[in-house]
Amino acid sequence: MHLKYSLYTLSLFAFFPQIWSRDTSSEPKDVYVALGSSVELPCVDGRNGEISEWRINGSFLVSSPALRLHNTSLDDQGVYTCHDSNGEIVETVRLQLGYPPSLPDVHCWSPSYPLKALCSWSLPQDPILPTHYISTYRLRDDVCSCQRQSEQDRQCVLEELDLFSNVPYLVNITAVNALGSASRVLPVIFEDIVKPDPPVNVKVTALPGKKLHVQWAPPPTWPDPVNFPLKYKVQFRWGNANADSIMGPIESESMVRSGVMPGRTYHIRVSVMDHLGHGQSSEWSDTVNITLPRS
Ligand SMILES: *[C@@H]1O[C@H](CO)[C@@H](O)[C@H](O)[C@H]1NC(C)=O
Ligand SMILES: *[C@@H]1O[C@H](CO)[C@@H](O)[C@H](O)[C@H]1NC(C)=O
Ligand SMILES: *[C@@H]1O[C@H](CO)[C@@H](O)[C@H](O)[C@H]1NC(C)=O
Ligand SMILES: *[C@@H]1O[C@H](CO)[C@@H](O)[C@H](O)[C@H]1NC(C)=O
């Protein structure tokens, strides 16, 4: 005999929404419940209404047609079966506990202006349950999907953005699971989120006459640095007191610093910014150290 597809009564004690998925197959029914809330698992006997007991993972739990759990914790997860007086299974429920998604923290930046931008996100609280994401961005009425490499990826790519738009793009990252969804909508002006990756291949050599020659390469993710110029800053640190000095901004990919002290160790790193000053400087490159011989 087929059970009628129906939504069961949810517990009035629930602090959070609960979602039931129920079908007529003998597969376990997944029931998702918010941690800490209460849940009632009803059992309807298709034959004569004689319910004998509920079992958890096969062990006896209670003699009652309805099973009530209060203040649920992860220890309550498992496979619950409801049995008739002959011991036959009437109902199988897989109880899964977790939280509805919290509002995602979203961060967007462009290491390759003006070609594309990236957004990445995280959830402040682990929802425990399987959670997926919908990522879109739009300018006025044009909605685009923000592409990800895989479903699990928490980073997406925005392409073919309008430059110097006077209205922001609206990036919408929505987290969805069986208990609910949460959308963060972040307004983004392309020029404001420019942030190159750090310069690479920093090399330092000592030159005669108390000089250091520093050279580096532009970040590989930046589009052709000739067409989209960059400006660099070079930091020199020495001694225990973290004395430092910063040279730049300069547009070339090398520089000479004079007046360095024999016997001293210098720690050198480079950062880079869009030539027109859009957005932010990169993080610092790797540090290169050089100890000058005592003369
Ligand atoms: C619910 O359970 C947690 C521990 O699992 C406990 O700290 C809390 O006090 C309980 N709340 C209520 C209302 O019983
Ligand atoms: C039931 O079994 C599952 C899987 O082995 C286990 O994670 C869970 O803690 C068990 N639940 C109870 C209440 O024993
Ligand atoms: C964000 O995206 C979700 C999922 O596509 C959608 O339901 C929601 O309406 C969007 N919010 C805004 C403000 O566009
Ligand atoms: C350079 O010196 C810094 C500070 O002493 C150290 O943390 C870093 O590992 C050194 N780098 C290399 C490449 O040796």
Side-chain angles (χ1 to χ4, degrees):
M1 174 163 199
H2 283 276
L3 294 173
K4 223 177 138 200
Y5 187 95
S6 64
L7 256 190
Y8 285 156
T9 322
L10 301 180
S11 164
L12 295 173
F13 300 109
F15 301 136
F16 292 107
Q18 303 164 356
I19 292 191
W20 297 72
S21 65
R22 178 169 162 71
D23 58 33
T24 54
S25 73
S26 59
E27 289 293 297
K29 284 132 193 120
D30 285 313
V31 172
Y32 297 93
V33 174
L35 272 163
S37 67
S38 302
V39 61
E40 182 174 305
L41 304 178
C43 183
V44 179
D45 184 356
R47 275 151 288 198
N48 53 17
E50 275 183 51
I51 296 301
S52 155
E53 64 188 45
W54 277 93
R55 299 179 193 167
I56 166 73
N57 289 348
S59 312
F60 174 78
L61 196 60
V62 66
S63 270
S64 155
L67 173 64
R68 292 186 187 80
L69 300 170
H70 298 287
N71 193 15
T72 47
S73 71
L74 286 175
D75 294 339
D76 294 321
Q77 290 194 127
V79 175
Y80 291 79
T81 47
C82 157
H83 300 256
D84 66 16
S85 42
N86 299 323
E88 298 288 325
I89 295 181
V90 177
E91 188 90 56
T92 304
V93 168
R94 185 164 45 215
L95 189 64
Q96 305 210 53
L97 290 146
Y99 298 103
S102 47
L103 209 52
D105 287 329
V106 182
H107 166 65
C108 299
W109 76 105
S110 173
S112 43
Y113 181 84
L115 300 186
K116 55 190 180 183
L118 302 171
C119 292
S120 74
W121 59 90
S122 59
L123 293 183
Q125 184 192 41
D126 180 3
I128 304 169
L129 297 173
T131 299
H132 74 273
Y133 300 93
I134 303 166
S135 50
T136 61
Y137 57 103
R138 79 184 162 100
L139 186 65
R140 301 184 186 90
D141 294 331
D142 267 349
V143 183
C144 302
S145 161
C146 191
Q147 296 294 331
R148 279 172 283 161
Q149 282 183 344
S150 75
E151 271 294 297
Q152 283 69 43
D153 232 12
R154 294 187 187 184
Q155 177 168 312
C156 69
V157 184
L158 299 77
E159 284 173 299
E160 294 176 15
L161 298 177
D162 280 6
L163 305 186
F164 303 105
S165 167
N166 51 10
V167 288
Y169 280 89
L170 296 177
V171 176
N172 177 347
I173 305 298
T174 300
V176 184
N177 70 19
L179 294 179
S181 71
S183 299
R184 170 85 68 184
V185 177
L186 188 71
V188 162
I189 298 270
F190 198 9
E191 284 69 29
D192 291 348
I193 60 164
V194 175
K195 184 179 179 183
D197 286 328
V200 296
N201 297 334
V202 181
K203 292 193 177 69
V204 183
T205 45
L207 299 179
K210 297 182 183 169
K211 288 179 183 161
L212 285 179
H213 179 255
V214 187
Q215 63 175 4
W216 55 89
T221 43
W222 193 255
D224 184 353
V226 175
N227 293 336
F228 304 102
L230 291 163
K231 57 184 181 185
Y232 300 90
K233 283 184 183 172
V234 185
Q235 184 197 52
F236 296 80
R237 284 177 301 158
W238 61 89
N240 299 329
N242 285 324
D244 79 353
S245 74
I246 289 182
M247 305 193 58
I250 52 176
E251 277 178 51
S252 57
E253 288 162 23
S254 69
M255 62 152 304
V256 173
R257 180 184 167 125
S258 49
V260 293
M261 297 289 288
R264 196 178 257 175
T265 298
Y266 287 89
H267 308 280
I268 296 151
R269 51 189 191 170
V270 185
S271 79
V272 61
M273 193 174 193
D274 169 69
H275 176 253
L276 296 175
H278 294 136
Q280 282 180 283
S281 288
S282 72
E283 303 295 325
W284 288 109
S285 68
D286 289 344
T287 302
V288 173
N289 305 324
I290 187 168
T291 301
L292 298 171
R294 294 178 190 281
S295 52

